[in-house]
């Protein structure tokens, strides 16, 4: 006679390991993952006048403002041969992907409480869909960056002598690390907001502050020269290291510090695992507290 566990194809249980990231189960629900990704992409700018053009407007205008304020007014240098606007556009493009992943996943439980309370599926699929759908926006903004890059190198007067480094091949690793950081921090914040609603208001404010401490609109070397006593604030900031490495790869100025990149890999993995543990623990009881 078959036991209950032998009779059913899948058994849903609240008992999970401390670190539970079931690839097989997520793969079984891949259609649902792609459905959520499609939903996020289609509904983001639905019923807006400019639609997907917002993908371009936000980074371009932000880079323009940064160039006027930080480079022209505050006279912050961006390197010998790197155009100020292109420097800022590269920083904003990388920062935006991390920010969208973090903010988009930070209210997972609150935003999806209705569907979570009605049907079972691996809850981690929901924040994963945010990270995947933001890749499209990131890809479009990279195309814009490439277009301005070609313009400044080939058509601007005077032209700029910049060229990518061979280590640009490591770019997928940087994207993966940004996704891992955004997803991990987002899952931690999402779990905490089920009990502490004040964190919801803190996220937007905190993300803006984090941007100023992540070397988005200035090179890390400039910060070190001006504020050496506070350099540690950004020196070991993983997202600052990723953005600086990205610009080094793209513009060919400076060198990537391998030890800091290894440190970023370790920190990103730790934050993701901590986020996964807290997320798995919260998903069992959040419906009673949210």
């Amino acid at each position: 006679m078959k036991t209950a566990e032998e009779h059913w194809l899948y058994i849903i249980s609240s008992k999970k390991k401390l670190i539970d990231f079931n690839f097989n189960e997520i793969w079984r629900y891949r259609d649902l993952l792609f459905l959520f990704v499609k939903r996020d992409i289609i509904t983001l700018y639905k019923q807006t006048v400019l639609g997907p053009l917002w993908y371009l407007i936000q980074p371009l205008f932000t880079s323009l403002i940064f160039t006027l304020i930080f480079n022209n007014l505050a006279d912050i240098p961006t390197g010998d041969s790197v155009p100020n606007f292109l420097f800022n556009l590269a920083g904003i493009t990388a920062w935006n992907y991390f920010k969208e992943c973090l903010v988009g996943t930070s209210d997972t439980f609150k935003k999806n409480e209705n569907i979570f309370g009605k049907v079972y599926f691996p809850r981690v699929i929901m924040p994963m869909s945010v990270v995947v759908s933001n890749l499209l926006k990131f890809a479009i903004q990279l195309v814009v960056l490439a277009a301005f890059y070609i313009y400044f190198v080939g058509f601007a007067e005077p032209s700029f002598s910049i060229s990518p480094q061979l280590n640009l091949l490591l770019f997928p690793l940087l994207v993966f690390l940004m996704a891992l950081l955004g997803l991990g921090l987002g899952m931690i914040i999402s779990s905490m907001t089920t009990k502490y609603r004040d964190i919801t208001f803190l996220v937007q404010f905190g993300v803006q502050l984090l941007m100023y401490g992540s070397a988005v609109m200035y090179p890390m070397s400039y910060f070190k020269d001006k504020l050496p006593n506070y350099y540690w604030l950004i020196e070991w900031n993983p997202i600052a290291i990723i953005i600086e490495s990205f610009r080094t790869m793209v513009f060919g100025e400076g060198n990537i510090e391998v030890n800091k990149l290894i440190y970023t890999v370790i920190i990103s993995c730790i934050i993701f695992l901590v986020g996964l543990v807290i997320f798995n623990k919260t998903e069992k009881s959040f419906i009673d507290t949210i």
Side-chain angles (χ1 to χ4, degrees), residues 23-96:
F23 284 103
N24 290 333
E25 188 178 37
I26 292 171
W27 179 250
R28 279 205 307 272
Y29 284 89
R30 61 188 180 281
D31 291 338
L32 186 63
L33 174 63
F34 292 131
L35 190 67
F36 286 140
V37 171
K38 185 179 176 183
R39 180 202 63 177
D40 291 343
I41 293 171
I42 292 176
T43 58
L44 182 60
Y45 294 116
K46 195 174 184 181
Q47 295 183 339
T48 60
V49 176
L50 298 177
L53 284 177
W54 285 111
Y55 286 138
L56 314 179
I57 292 171
Q58 190 267 345
L60 290 178
F61 274 82
T62 306
S63 301
L64 186 62
I65 296 298
F66 279 5
T67 304
L68 290 173
I69 302 296
F70 293 102
N71 304 124
N72 293 351
L73 193 62
D75 203 23
I76 294 177
T78 58
D80 296 332
S81 57
V82 181
N84 296 334
F85 177 80
L86 202 58
F87 178 92
N88 290 319
L89 186 59
I92 283 292
T93 301
W95 166 257
N96 274 348

Side-chain angles (χ1 to χ4, degrees), residues 7-254:
H7 181 75
W8 299 104
L9 288 176
Y10 309 115
I11 297 175
I12 301 171
S13 171
S14 61
K15 296 179 181 177
K16 290 187 175 181
K17 303 172 187 172
L18 184 63
I19 299 176
D20 190 351
F21 193 74
N22 193 332
F23 284 103
N24 290 333
E25 188 178 37
I26 292 171
W27 179 250
R28 279 205 307 272
Y29 284 89
R30 61 188 180 281
D31 291 338
L32 186 63
L33 174 63
F34 292 131
L35 190 67
F36 286 140
V37 171
K38 185 179 176 183
R39 180 202 63 177
D40 291 343
I41 293 171
I42 292 176
T43 58
L44 182 60
Y45 294 116
K46 195 174 184 181
Q47 295 183 339
T48 60
V49 176
L50 298 177
L53 284 177
W54 285 111
Y55 286 138
L56 314 179
I57 292 171
Q58 190 267 345
L60 290 178
F61 274 82
T62 306
S63 301
L64 186 62
I65 296 298
F66 279 5
T67 304
L68 290 173
I69 302 296
F70 293 102
N71 304 124
N72 293 351
L73 193 62
D75 203 23
I76 294 177
T78 58
D80 296 332
S81 57
V82 181
N84 296 334
F85 177 80
L86 202 58
F87 178 92
N88 290 319
L89 186 59
I92 283 292
T93 301
W95 166 257
N96 274 348
Y97 179 61
F98 165 75
K99 184 197 76 174
E100 296 293 342
C101 290
L102 172 58
V103 175
T105 55
S106 64
D107 61 347
T108 299
F109 285 117
K110 186 171 178 290
K111 191 166 65 178
N112 301 287
E113 58 179 307
N114 289 330
I115 190 171
F116 280 177
K118 292 176 181 172
V119 62
Y120 174 79
F121 59 89
R123 305 305 191 216
V124 75
I125 278 184
M126 202 61 89
M128 283 180 65
S129 70
V130 174
V131 172
V132 175
S133 60
N134 277 318
L135 280 175
L136 174 68
K137 183 178 179 180
F138 184 46
I140 293 173
Q141 294 182 352
L142 282 176
V143 171
V144 175
L145 175 64
F148 276 95
Y149 193 101
I150 293 170
Y151 166 76
F152 279 109
V153 172
F155 300 97
E157 288 294 340
S159 62
F160 294 85
S161 57
I162 51 176
S163 60
Q165 291 183 354
L166 184 61
N167 53 28
L168 188 61
L169 295 173
L170 291 174
F171 177 64
L173 173 64
L174 298 186
V175 178
F176 179 70
L177 292 177
M178 285 191 287
L180 216 56
L181 271 173
L183 183 59
L185 289 172
M187 288 193 295
I188 293 172
I189 295 171
S190 177
S191 302
M192 293 176 70
T193 52
T194 59
K195 288 185 178 179
Y196 310 105
R197 296 298 178 88
D198 288 9
I199 296 175
T200 306
F201 302 100
L202 185 64
V203 170
Q204 293 290 344
F205 173 64
V207 165
Q208 277 202 332
L209 291 182
L210 183 60
M211 182 183 72
Y212 290 104
S214 299
V216 175
M217 67 292 285
Y218 54 83
M220 290 176 72
S221 57
Y222 179 80
F223 193 101
K224 187 178 182 180
D225 291 340
K226 292 291 181 183
L227 298 170
N229 293 334
Y230 299 98
Y231 181 56
W232 59 272
L233 286 172
I234 65 164
E235 184 180 12
W236 299 108
N237 176 352
I239 191 65
I241 295 171
I242 291 173
I243 291 174
E244 188 80 354
S245 300
F246 174 58
R247 282 196 293 237
T248 301
M249 292 176 183
V250 171
F251 300 132
E253 282 203 348

